[in-house]
Amino acid sequence: MSETDGRQPGVARAPMRVSENGASVGALLTRMRSSAFQGRKLGEAFEAWKQMIDGSALICLGLAGSLSSAGMWPLVSWLIERGYVDLVASTCANVTEDVLEARGATLYQIDPEHVDDTELWRTRRYRFYDHVVSAAEYDAMETFTADFFRHLASSWKHASISGARFMLEYGRWLTAQGLSDCVAAACARHGVPLFVPAAHDGPLAEGYRESGVRGPAVDFFRDYTIALALMERSMTPGHGTAAIFLGGGVPKDFIQITATSVCAIRGGEASPHRAAIQITADNTVYGGLGGASVASECISWGKEAADGVNVMCFTDVTIALPLLCQGLAEHYGVAHRRRAGRVDGALAELLEG
């Protein structure tokens, strides 16, 4: 194609410049949309998330990585409060380690290249790459969760409980303990279903052991039945589902395979998420699900729509999420609340059933 035939390959790239007129983070992200590489992708993610918020889709959020220890949990709670996500699937750590700071623990920065881990063990500090927490504080947090298991054993009158209902009760219990800012408590307060498919892979496992109780049994397969019912109700013309993945792993897969299962339930009718954003540092070439692109590979499974707004942004979540949340706050204003995708009564019905 010549430069003189009138056709252009795409939108013109704009050079990045400093704005000296007090421009907002949101304006910066919008300008970055016209730049290149992962800066461009972060700008595209900002635009895609705004489209999700302005639409009626059920917005699903997957949380992986050590986000709560890194201090990202207040942003997740803020997204839930504002209605910018309607369903959450998470690792255990991200919905339990937020309890550390909520209960008054302090996490301290260290130099990860020069720290002596043997000395950390001697002085009882647990390390999360470049920050540490007192082992006594962390162990106390796990012991704290043991009280929840005892509470549940005395208040729940059935032999089993779905994982989603388990997390709902956990969120309500946190609120009763004065920890209403935590992610699970925010989900419970706003009727946002919280799925933790590997709940034993984290602090809750030690809380379970310490509690001494062995019931009710948590039925995680019932979780999938609940998730499928919610997804199928939303995967309709004019409504649909969307997905945002912070990291990858089990939370991403849990949200993704609901699309393939709904497709099977409907006799092979494609039922993909209509839009998706993934922010990850994983590399697709090694085959890990965390890096399987929502803009390409996932389409082959019917998990994402070929004509959907699908954005892969390869960067650290601790860089991207604060910028995106600040941009959303500036764009929509202090009082904005979205309710378009909330499941509310549908979730209550499924949990009771």
Side-chain angles (χ1 to χ4, degrees):
M1 181 180 66
S2 72
E3 294 182 358
T4 59
D5 65 4
R7 292 179 294 162
Q8 301 299 333
V11 177
R13 184 202 44 75
M16 288 301 298
R17 293 183 173 88
V18 172
S19 174
E20 297 181 342
N21 60 357
S24 67
V25 171
L28 173 63
L29 288 168
T30 298
R31 294 203 310 278
M32 289 170 69
R33 168 68 181 81
S34 297
S35 64
F37 308 137
Q38 300 314 305
R40 168 187 170 180
K41 288 300 177 181
L42 188 59
E44 289 181 1
F46 183 53
E47 292 302 314
W49 206 333
K50 288 190 293 182
Q51 289 179 36
M52 292 179 189
I53 291 169
D54 292 339
S56 60
L58 181 80
I59 305 175
C60 308
L61 176 68
L63 298 174
S66 194
L67 300 184
S68 282
S69 81
M72 298 293 106
W73 63 272
L75 298 179
V76 176
S77 293
W78 179 83
L79 290 168
I80 294 164
E81 296 277 355
R82 298 279 291 238
Y84 298 167
V85 295
D86 305 304
L87 178 151
V88 177
S90 176
T91 59
C92 178
N94 280 326
V95 293
T96 50
E97 289 178 348
D98 55 354
V99 169
L100 283 167
E101 286 179 295
R103 295 183 73 226
T106 300
L107 288 90
Y108 295 94
Q109 293 179 328
I110 50 93
D111 182 348
E113 302 304 323
H114 299 95
V115 67
D116 183 340
D117 286 287
T118 302
E119 179 65 11
L120 289 180
W121 171 254
R122 190 188 68 79
T123 57
R124 306 299 293 131
R125 298 286 188 273
Y126 294 149
R127 178 157 81 102
F128 305 86
Y129 181 58
D130 67 351
H131 53 286
V132 298
V133 67
S134 159
E137 298 262 30
Y138 195 96
D139 295 349
M141 177 267 293
E142 293 181 315
T143 297
F144 173 73
T145 68
D147 289 337
F148 167 66
F149 284 96
R150 298 185 188 104
H151 161 77
L152 187 67
S154 65
S155 61
W156 189 258
K157 304 306 180 184
H158 307 284
S160 66
I161 186 171
S162 71
R165 184 58 185 264
F166 174 90
M167 294 311 302
L168 173 61
E169 296 298 327
Y170 175 64
R172 289 171 172 172
W173 179 80
L174 287 177
T175 297
Q177 308 307 307
L179 304 176
S180 60
D181 290 338
C182 291
V183 173
C187 285
R189 183 165 59 254
H190 292 282
V192 172
L194 173 58
F195 297 96
V196 185
H200 55 286
D201 182 23
L204 286 175
E206 181 61 15
Y208 171 74
R209 185 196 66 78
E210 283 194 39
S211 71
V213 301
R214 295 298 176 261
V218 182
D219 185 348
F220 291 106
F221 282 103
R222 198 186 313 172
D223 265 23
Y224 201 60
T225 301
I226 293 170
L228 282 180
L230 291 173
M231 293 294 192
E232 188 175 20
R233 291 183 186 193
S234 296
M235 287 174 169
T236 57
H239 192 52
T241 56
I244 299 164
F245 304 115
L246 304 181
V250 172
K252 178 185 177 184
D253 200 25
F254 183 86
I255 292 170
Q256 291 289 65
I257 62 176
T258 56
T260 61
S261 291
V262 171
C263 175
I265 291 169
R266 295 176 175 178
E269 175 190 341
S271 304
H273 302 300
R274 301 306 308 172
I277 300 166
Q278 184 174 4
I279 300 168
T280 181
D282 289 345
N283 192 322
T284 61
V285 302
Y286 300 115
L289 179 75
S293 175
V294 298
S296 56
E297 185 176 337
C298 291
I299 294 170
S300 75
W301 291 84
K303 297 171 180 177
E304 312 298 347
D307 59 349
V309 180
N310 303 316
V311 181
M312 286 296 297
C313 183
F314 290 95
T315 191
D316 187 336
V317 173
T318 65
I319 296 171
L321 187 61
L323 291 172
L324 290 170
C325 288
Q326 186 64 39
L328 293 175
E330 292 170 356
H331 178 77
Y332 289 104
V334 174
H336 184 256
R337 298 293 184 274
R338 175 185 182 268
R339 296 198 58 81
R342 288 279 160 95
V343 296
D344 291 335
L347 174 64
E349 177 186 333
L350 289 166
L351 292 179
E352 291 300 329

